[in-house]
Structure formats: C-alpha cells, structure tokens
Amino acid sequence: MQEKAVKRTLNLYIYMCAFEYFISLIVTGTFLATLTSYLGISDSLTGIISSFVSLGCLFQLLSMFLNRRHTKSLVLVGNIVNQLIFMLLYLVPFFDAGQQINSAIFIVVMLVAYILSNVISPIKSNWFFSLMDPRQRGVYTSKVQIVSLITGMLFTFGMGTLIDHFRESGQIETAFILCAITIFVCTVAHAVTVIFSVSPAPESTVSSRRDIFRVLKSKNALKITGLFCLWCTATYSATPFYGTYQIKELGFSLQFVSILGIIHSLSRACVATSWGKFADKKGFAVMLRICQCIAALCFLVNVFTTPENGAIMYTIHYVIYAIALGGIGLSQNNLIFEMVEPDLRANAMALNSAISGLVGFLVTLIVSPLVDYIQQNGNQLFGLNVYAQQVVSLIACIFTVLCILYITFVIRPKKRTV
C-alpha cells in the first residue's frame, strides 16, 4: 500500500510541477512585459521586477524555522495563498488609483507572491525528492521537466494567441481577466495534487532548526552555493531584459514569441532524458560543466542578435539555451542530494536558493542603470551602435565561463564508477 501511495505521489508531483510552471509562465517573460507596458512601467524596472523570482529565493531561509511536522499542510496552504496573490497581478490594471499607485501595488503584490512561494519551496522539494529512487533521480526529474515543457509550450502558444487577439482588437483588459481566471484554475488543480499526495515519513518531518548552523559549516553546501551564485550572476545580468527586447526592439508578436517557446520547450524536452541518464551514470557535476559550456555559447550568439537578424539569431540562441537548461535544470537540487549529508539537504537547498537568488537580484539591480544608459543614449556605448541586451549578453557569457572554471577547480567533478 505504501509503495503504491509513493508511486501515486510521484506521478502527482509531475502534474503539480506542470501547474506551477503554467503560473510561472504567465507572470514572467513577454506576458509580464505586456502587463508592465500597459501599466507604464519602464524596461529597466520591468527587468528588476522580473528578477523578483531571484530576490524571493532569499526568503527560503525562513523555511528553516518552520515546523516540518506539518509539511503537507504548509505546502497546501502556502501555495494556494501565493498563487492567488499571483492572480491579483492581472487585476491591478482595473484599480482606479492612478498609474504610479497601480505600479507600486503591482510591485508589492509580485514581491509578496514570490516571498510566500519561496518559503514553501525547500520543504516541498525535500518532501518529494526524498521519495525518489537515488539511482534514478536524473531520469525522474527529466520526466518532470519534459511534461512541464511540453504542456507548457501548448499553454504558452494558446495564451499568447488569445492575448494577441484581444490586444489587436483593442480589448487587452479582457485578456488580463482571462489570465487571472487561468491562474485560479491552475491553483485549484495544483491544490488537488497536493491533497492526494502521501504525507512525508515521520523521520523527515522533524524540525531542522538545530541544523541551521551546521549547514553553514558544510563545505560541499557552500561550494554548491558559490557555483549557483555565479550562474545567477550570469543569467540575471541578461535574461530579465530579454522579454522587452523581444516585443520592442526585435518587434516580435506574442504569437511568434509563443512559437519560440514551443521550439525552446521541444529542444529542452528532447535532451532532458539524455542529460538525466548521463548524470545518473557520470554524475551531476560532470553533466553540469558540459551544460555550462553550451550556455556560454548561447549568450555569445545573443551578442550578435539585432532587429535585422533577430528572428533567426534569437531562435538559434533560444535553442542552444534550451539544450543547456535541459541539464542545468536537473542539477541544482540533485547536486545537493549527491554531495550534501541527508539531514542537511533541505537547509542546503534553502541556503543555496536564498544566497544565489539574492545575488541574482542585486546583479539585475546593478545592470539596470547600464540598460537605461544605453537606451537613453540612442543605443550607443563607447561610440559603438549596440543594443543594451547585446552588452548584457556579453556579460552573461563571461560569467558563464567563470562557472565552467569554478566547476573544474572548486567542485572538481569526478565520474561515477558504478
């Protein structure tokens, strides 16, 4: 009975992640850029808002103080509240409070939603990862990723097409209402998957407060945190500004962006299982180093992306990025489960996400003035005609190369022999 319950729970986790992914899609990227543009929020501020997903990770540290004896209830209630707050984002345009106040409300709502989401995240991840077969974590997490990607691309294409339709017909407010309803439906479906999941075993629900300082002394936990700080520096110096780049400078429609999303998702889904099998056989650090090399290439491609070649070059960038993320997306929690002691894993996940997330947010905050400066200077820097997103892509490429060196000389990956 217990084996069947665990198998059912792992299957439900796949759908749970898909519903979470749908909500994340609709509050990020070009969907977010469409909403912030309507509210009159600048590109640089949109980039900062986009990085709230990173800043929110800082609050994962609060999960260390929560009583793990009520894991299932915490996950259920916490996610319902935070997802309903995300729904409020698409209702802000209907507030009759003026542009500045509406923008302020929007920012506060977004930040609160990400805070609540991240407080719950390490507890939920540790719950479900503890149920997985250690010898098949790579393959299983690749299945989770594939289902989210394939269903997500259909979701993105459908929502993008509908929003384009309403926007072109001058009914963008109707599109916002549709987005709010969609988030509500996903919230209900997500809650159902949690309700029917098996509760964690008693030994995994004991409060881990006594281990808060132990994890700060774990060399492997700190090494992993350092690695993902570098990776967040790379990604958050560039990707938060890509959403507005696509719909403004490159002139993409949301439908075309949705098609790009489909290509990205298919590319990532096609390699996810192969990356998972490779990691289960050779080790997640070995796999991650290869993926970082591919990621460096993808950022380099975007350095040469302009409105004249945007449709081709950005597509190439996005496909290469998808191949890299197919492995990188599997590595963060799995690397912790591979290198950190079992009783410290939940806190190690919280520490890693919190510190690297804070770094990512601060990086976006630092880079935003540079984006503003280049745009306000007529897309020029040091006398060169460049777009801001080309410059930040170069910065991302440099820091990704540093990630490769860090894995090689600090993590020192060793291939598995069994």
Side-chain angles (χ1 to χ4, degrees), residues 250-268:
L250 299 182
F252 297 165
S253 68
L254 281 185
Q255 189 175 46
F256 182 71
V257 171
S258 298
I259 293 172
L260 282 177
I262 291 174
I263 296 172
H264 175 89
S265 296
L266 285 175
S267 301
R268 187 170 171 178

Side-chain angles (χ1 to χ4, degrees), residues 14 38 44 67 95 120 122 165 175-176 184 192 206 224 259 264 312 322 341 348 354 356 379 388:
I14 294 175
Y38 181 87
S44 59
N67 191 334
F95 296 169
I120 301 301
H165 167 74
F176 294 155
F184 178 78
V192 171
V206 178
I224 295 171
I259 293 172
H264 175 89
I312 296 174
E341 305 92 310
S356 61
N379 294 319

